Amino acid sequence: MKHVALGIVIPVYRSTYSVARLTKDIQTVFHDVCTWHIYLIDDGNSEDTVSWLNGHCTGPHVTLIRLKQNYGQQNAILCGIRHCQNCR
């Protein structure tokens, strides 16, 4: 079987607990299946939310990318896709 690398883009705006749960579930599902990386795109959250995400949604397979302000879900997704170009 061909090696699969998966890039997962998750736009984040005013979300904390659901994102933490989602990242843990993704890690559980894909741990032994393929190479994967999660890109959390902070779409203009408050510093409190960003601090919480840094404390609860981190790891070697998770990258938090911060946008300066809220640009909307579509732009956040496009930003994440640009960062995961190496996932093929």
Side-chain angles (χ1 to χ4, degrees):
M1 181 191 263
K2 195 176 192 179
H3 176 75
V4 176
L6 182 63
I8 302 164
V9 177
I10 304 171
V12 181
Y13 184 68
R14 296 184 179 170
S15 302
T16 51
Y17 300 108
S18 60
V19 174
R21 175 62 192 238
L22 179 60
T23 57
K24 287 178 185 172
D25 288 348
I26 289 170
Q27 292 174 30
T28 300
V29 170
F30 291 112
H31 178 70
D32 294 326
V33 177
C34 63
T35 302
W36 54 273
H37 197 91
I38 299 170
Y39 297 89
L40 299 176
I41 312 302
D42 163 34
D43 195 16
N45 286 295
S46 68
E47 289 299 320
D48 291 340
T49 301
V50 173
S51 293
W52 194 94
L53 291 170
N54 276 322
H56 294 85
C57 301
T58 59
H61 296 283
V62 181
T63 299
L64 178 61
I65 300 166
R66 295 191 65 194
L67 300 179
K68 290 182 181 181
Q69 64 185 40
N70 182 286
Y71 290 103
Q73 181 179 2
Q74 182 177 2
N75 286 320
I77 291 170
L78 290 173
C79 174
I81 289 171
R82 285 186 202 104
H83 279 83
C84 69
Q85 290 297 314
N86 293 330
C87 297
R88 301 188 197 280

